[in-house]
Amino acid sequence: MNVAARVGDYKLDSSNFISEDGFRGFIGPSGTVGIDRDYDSLRQDLWIATDQAFKEEVETYSRKQAYLSSLARQSDIDDFSRVQAVQPIEPLVAPDWTSRHWDQEARDSSAALRAFPQIYESKVTYYLVFMTEYLLTSEGTEVRANHSFAAIESGLSSLANDGMQVNHYYAGTCRGPSIYPVLMRSARRSTLPEPN
């Protein structure tokens, strides 16, 4: 969850202002919300975050006005642009975790490193992310977009002939788990040394 609030009007609002507290007024309070579709809980979380964001922006707006009043010449560029509201709503997509044996694939990838006795420490991590992103604005824009990506991280440690520790790390990301096998093969080619 990320709540962004602006106080003021299109000509002058609380955004894009640097004060002694640093850069404020652009990104509001953020946090997490439950995924159990509890309407009352979600509403409370969003209300608390919005209230906090609004109070912060009121303070920032006041500081920004005070600063601008001390300038000999103020900017004639508006802080915010008027745009047409859009409503691209994608259908809800439920992630399917059952199509592959992800745990076993991670174990198999990690087990491949055991064939090299010179490697004394190794790790392989899979990431599968399914996300539905919502955007609502007070101007009427409503967006629901589905995103998915898969990633793999692998690392290993060994010792050089002089006893110095050497490490190697690989990370790769792809859109959606459907092309994960390609990513996994690429990780193996990048991470594994040539066997003796």
Side-chain angles (χ1 to χ4, degrees):
M1 171 183 65
N2 189 324
V3 176
R6 290 172 179 254
V7 173
D9 55 30
Y10 287 87
K11 179 67 178 173
L12 176 66
D13 69 16
S14 57
S15 66
N16 305 321
F17 177 62
I18 300 177
S19 68
E20 64 270 15
D21 294 331
F23 190 67
R24 298 184 60 186
F26 185 68
I27 298 178
S30 60
T32 58
V33 294
I35 59 173
D36 55 0
R37 301 181 188 273
D38 183 335
Y39 172 78
D40 292 329
S41 175
L42 177 62
R43 180 175 176 172
Q44 181 182 22
D45 290 342
L46 289 171
W47 169 253
I48 292 172
T50 302
D51 182 61
Q52 179 184 346
F54 176 75
K55 288 174 180 175
E56 289 181 4
E57 294 310 305
V58 167
E59 181 182 343
T60 300
Y61 184 59
S62 176
R63 292 183 182 189
K64 185 175 181 179
Q65 284 181 309
Y67 171 76
L68 291 176
S69 65
S70 68
L71 298 179
R73 181 181 182 278
Q74 296 188 18
S75 172
D76 55 359
I77 301 174
D78 291 351
D79 279 345
F80 207 48
S81 300
R82 294 183 185 272
V83 296
Q84 176 117 19
V86 295
Q87 287 93 22
I89 308 293
E90 294 183 2
L92 279 174
V93 176
D96 181 12
W97 301 94
T98 63
S99 59
R100 303 249 302 274
H101 300 291
W102 301 105
D103 291 349
Q104 189 58 47
E105 286 188 29
R107 290 190 188 96
D108 292 344
S109 298
S110 182
L113 298 171
R114 295 193 197 119
F116 302 89
Q118 63 270 41
I119 299 174
Y120 68 84
E121 183 179 36
S122 63
K123 182 178 182 180
V124 175
T125 306
Y126 276 29
Y127 297 94
L128 302 170
V129 178
F130 293 88
M131 176 173 57
T132 302
E133 183 178 24
Y134 296 84
L135 171 66
L136 300 172
T137 74
S138 57
E139 293 181 307
T141 289
E142 299 179 17
V143 177
R144 182 171 66 198
N146 301 298
H147 307 283
S148 67
F149 69 88
I152 186 171
E153 293 180 354
S154 59
L156 56 87
S157 299
S158 185
L159 293 176
N161 292 334
D162 60 1
M164 180 178 177
Q165 178 175 314
V166 291
N167 305 300
H168 186 63
Y169 176 80
Y170 171 85
T173 305
C174 63
R175 291 189 61 189
S178 59
I179 57 174
Y180 212 78
V182 177
L183 187 66
M184 189 173 64
R185 286 194 297 273
S186 177
R188 286 182 176 176
R189 284 195 301 270
S190 171
T191 305
L192 297 179
E194 290 298 323
N196 294 331

